[in-house]
Amino acid sequence: MAGERSDPRFRRVRERLVSTVMELASTRPPESISVSELTAAAGVSRAVFYAHATSPAALLADALIAEIRPDLEATLAQLCRPNADYVGLWRRLYLDFLEHGRRRRAVFRVITEHESSVYSMLIAYLEAAAEPCIRAIFTHLDGPAPTELWTRIAVSQQAHNMMSVLRAWLLTDVADPPDTVVDTYLTLAPPWQLGRADEHGHISLRRTRVLHHLTHPDDDADGTWLGTAHAPDPVER
């Protein structure tokens, strides 16, 4: 397959298929596009299509991810580093994602307004891409290490937040500039995404500690914190 992908003819056919599925999916859910319809519009055979994807929806998801991947994974790689500018890099990640969404506005509008399998495929990719980075960030959190449940929730939260921000922007007809959209999101972002490392590389989650104290005022040393059996002081000193 790697050899095929490097073949100029393979790439030209794929570009034609991707261009065609993007055009068709800009007006209706990709699940409603048949292989026969797509191949006829692209001028290729069904056998040739199946060398590229298992369905039009899968082809569309692969194409969108291929466009998103370079910027997203480059920024995530920087976020994995100790003492990174976490807020600045998360901001860049969302800005880049919105720009991709704007370029494919019609397609993203369709897949976010319908229960499209492409939406689920994008979520799965965003989770898989972000998970190593989120786990790396969590090694620098003050206090006990987060539990697996806490980590899994954060990974899912991050992927769904990206798609939700894009969907909200599309629903408002991209009336606001991307900077305004991302700054608005950051007022709603989870505390772990807004952490800043101190001179020792440790990240404090004061807002989460205060919230835990307010919602669990009777917790003692055996209370829960980030899913652990030990609760830290509720207020930063």
Side-chain angles (χ1 to χ4, degrees):
M1 180 62 73
E4 288 181 341
R5 290 182 182 276
S6 64
D7 186 317
R9 291 170 298 178
F10 183 93
R11 292 200 304 269
R12 285 195 297 271
V13 169
R14 186 172 186 85
E15 287 169 2
R16 194 154 69 243
L17 284 168
V18 167
S19 175
T20 303
V21 79
M22 289 284 187
E23 181 179 354
L24 294 172
S26 67
T27 58
R28 64 189 221 256
E31 290 75 17
S32 71
I33 304 168
S34 69
V35 173
S36 296
E37 179 184 9
L38 176 57
T39 53
V44 302
S45 69
R46 290 172 60 91
V48 167
F49 170 81
Y50 285 115
H52 293 264
T54 57
S55 69
L59 177 67
L60 178 63
D62 285 347
L64 291 172
I65 289 168
E67 292 179 349
I68 294 165
R69 180 181 285 116
D71 288 337
L72 183 118
E73 294 188 7
T75 302
L76 286 172
Q78 293 184 60
L79 273 162
C80 288
R81 298 172 184 168
N83 299 307
D85 174 14
Y86 297 111
V87 176
L89 288 169
W90 283 120
R91 190 171 188 278
R92 182 195 303 172
L93 188 91
Y94 276 77
L95 285 171
D96 288 342
F97 188 67
L98 289 179
E99 288 297 340
H100 286 291
R102 175 153 57 185
R103 284 197 291 273
R104 296 295 188 185
R105 176 179 175 180
V107 173
F108 275 106
R109 185 185 292 277
V110 171
I111 65 175
T112 57
E113 288 182 355
H114 299 83
E115 294 184 0
S116 173
S117 61
V118 176
Y119 190 99
S120 298
M121 291 181 220
L122 288 169
I123 290 288
Y125 164 70
L126 292 172
E127 287 182 342
E131 182 175 347
C133 173
I134 291 173
R135 289 185 180 277
I137 291 172
F138 285 179
T139 64
H140 303 295
L141 295 181
D142 274 344
T147 63
E148 184 62 17
L149 173 63
W150 204 84
T151 303
R152 290 289 179 184
I153 290 173
V155 169
S156 179
Q157 181 183 49
Q158 159 57 19
H160 283 85
N161 281 352
M162 291 190 73
M163 293 300 295
S164 295
V165 169
L166 175 57
R167 182 173 187 271
W169 194 38
L170 294 174
L171 286 172
T172 57
D173 293 322
V174 297
D176 294 293
D179 283 339
T180 299
V181 178
V182 176
D183 289 344
T184 301
Y185 164 70
L186 289 175
T187 68
L188 304 166
W192 63 264
Q193 214 167 35
L194 302 175
R196 294 186 184 277
D198 62 19
E199 64 272 19
H200 304 294
H202 300 150
I203 303 170
S204 172
L205 295 183
R206 179 178 181 185
R207 196 173 92 187
T208 300
R209 296 184 181 194
V210 172
L211 177 60
H212 180 83
H213 179 59
L214 291 174
T215 56
H216 300 79
D218 298 325
D219 268 3
D220 55 22
D222 293 323
T224 57
W225 168 246
L226 300 188
T228 67
H230 301 286
D233 293 335
V235 179
E236 289 281 309
R237 292 187 172 89

